[in-house]
Amino acid sequence: MDLGSLGQSCTRLLQARFLQARPHQVRLAAAVVIAAACTAATPAPSAGAAPGLASHRAVYDLKLVRSQGKRSLQSVRGRILYDFSGNACDGWVLQFRQVSELDNGEGKVAVSDLRASTWEDAAAKSFRFSSQNYVNDRPGDMVDGKAERRDDKVAVALTKPTGTTFDLDIGMVFPTEHMRRVLDAAREGRTLLELPVYDGSENGQKSFNTLTVIGPAIGPENRPEGDATAGQAALDGLKRWPVTISYFDRAAGQGEQTPVYAIGFQLYENGVSRALRLDYGDFVVAGDMTQLDIKPDKACP
């Protein structure tokens, strides 16, 4: 995913204001989801792997698996809808929605509804994004903008929440390109990947350093059971890898840092992700795939 990435991939947003918590984001992209080992900070885009990404629609049911610390939660439940499509000619489109209900066990319940859409061209040179979050049915943060890769920089222009422009390092990658790099690294047997990522999240002005850890390949003979990937002919013969992507705030400076959040999942060779695990430090949420529809390939003209 664009989860994954959530980005993409993907990344995408869990809001907990009623707990006096800062906004959290879920990028599937990551996971969907969503990233490539110990590579340089200014890698060139790798569009050649793009045709291997499968257009698909996936639904994940969310539940709380662990909560601790001062902002502990009694329960989390919700659903993610991840709809990814495109090809190497038209680019890649992601429609994403996440609805989450968070309960702190003290009579405070909040419902967050994030709706986002992105488009990224196959050469990883252009990226458009828009999102809006609703909290308890009240409109919240809204972001709309685009990013363009130029000779020596990535130029970003936002129209919402306010009109502004700024530049990012030329080595910045976008969500779908992030996922292609993760797949390239996994196929080559690499276990670590460091990349800076821009996905237009939060107020559109934040970028992240990411560290991706890729585990040993799981062969197609070890088929998963208990979720929507079981019995999918499009996944027959495909390997998958356990992947964890940690996101670090680039604005936090140098030195030892803890991640803002981390996303874990099993990534198939065609970009489909299962068994999500979203770690926000104070709490961890699991996402079980309950529906998967593989769309027919759309050939280039």
Side-chain angles (χ1 to χ4, degrees), residues 32-49:
V32 328
V33 210
I34 22 256
C38 292
T39 186
T42 56
S46 57

Side-chain angles (χ1 to χ4, degrees), residues 89-229:
C89 297
D90 301 326
W92 304 100
V93 176
L94 173 64
Q95 300 291 335
F96 178 94
R97 185 175 182 183
Q98 177 177 336
V99 179
S100 305
E101 180 185 273
L102 301 96
D103 183 353
N104 73 347
E106 298 177 359
K108 294 183 180 179
V109 177
V111 177
S112 171
D113 183 354
L114 174 68
R115 308 170 190 185
S117 62
T118 66
W119 174 85
E120 185 176 334
D121 79 330
K125 293 183 177 180
S126 183
F127 176 55
R128 297 198 298 264
F129 52 90
S130 64
S131 66
Q132 180 156 20
N133 193 47
Y134 297 79
V135 179
N136 295 332
D137 294 326
R138 295 193 298 270
D141 300 331
M142 192 171 187
V143 178
D144 189 86
K146 63 181 180 180
E148 300 286 342
R149 188 180 306 280
R150 298 178 181 170
D151 290 341
D152 58 350
K153 64 185 178 182
V154 172
V156 180
L158 301 177
T159 58
K160 297 177 182 178
T162 58
T164 187
T165 62
F166 57 94
D167 297 333
L168 297 170
D169 295 343
I170 187 60
M172 200 69 58
V173 299
F174 303 137
T176 301
E177 175 66 5
H178 192 195
M179 186 53 55
R180 296 199 302 232
R181 302 284 185 91
V182 171
L183 285 167
D184 287 348
R187 293 186 186 106
E188 294 168 10
R190 293 185 282 166
T191 59
L192 294 175
L193 176 69
E194 292 180 285
L195 285 173
V197 172
Y198 179 76
D199 60 7
S201 59
E202 293 197 16
N203 61 0
Q205 298 191 45
K206 185 177 287 294
S207 58
F208 294 87
N209 290 325
T210 67
L211 174 64
T212 302
V213 179
I214 305 170
I218 302 170
E221 69 279 3
N222 295 314
R223 299 186 62 111
E225 297 181 359
D227 68 12
T229 61

